[in-house]
Amino acid sequence: MLQLPADLNQDFYFEEFGITRPLLKGFINSSPYCAAALVGCFLNQWLNRKFGRRGTIFVSCFIAMITAFWQAAANNWIVFVAGRLVLGLAVGAKSATTPVYAAECAPAAIRGALTMLWQTFTAFGIMLGYAVSLAFQ
């Protein structure tokens, strides 16, 4: 397995909050994904009925933007994890709604490509986030 040097990975928030326990590190890293899978995806139906697909995408992206500031302003690891958990709720709803909305709006000839393009740009955005994090580190 490729191991990055300590100055090239995202361990800075462990140092910032004085976290040394491996289990807590794993929980902090996995918290958005657990929240997305266990709760966020299930909020999808309610959000789509309340706001529609476009509205759900807007609301979830807005919540994700707010949680970025929330995590950046966190003064302890509990506030940081709370921000990551709320981020997971937004990611779960967005991830379940966006491909369906794209498929509904796209012409049949490009429906599959457009849906996969969404996933490609999601992965690109994650990579870009890592690059920006590295630049600010």
Side-chain angles (χ1 to χ4, degrees), residues 61-108:
C61 288
F62 183 76
I63 291 170
M65 179 188 71
I66 295 301
T67 60
F69 294 110
W70 180 347
Q71 292 173 72
N75 58 354
N76 63 46
W77 71 268
I78 296 171
V79 174
F80 184 70
V81 169
R84 290 178 67 82
L85 288 169
V86 174
L87 171 65
L89 300 179
V91 167
K94 175 188 65 70
S95 297
T97 302
T98 306
V100 175
Y101 182 68
E104 288 175 347
C105 295

Side-chain angles (χ1 to χ4, degrees), residues 6 8 21-22 28 31-32 80 83 87 104 114:
L8 293 179
R21 297 183 310 207
I28 290 172
S31 58
F80 184 70
L87 171 65
E104 288 175 347
L114 186 61

Side-chain angles (χ1 to χ4, degrees), residues 28-53:
I28 290 172
N29 281 334
S30 67
S31 58
Y33 308 108
C34 292
L38 298 175
V39 181
C41 290
F42 295 105
L43 285 176
N44 186 38
Q45 181 181 10
W46 180 82
L47 287 170
N48 278 291
R49 286 190 180 169
K50 178 95 172 149
F51 300 110
R53 296 208 201 288

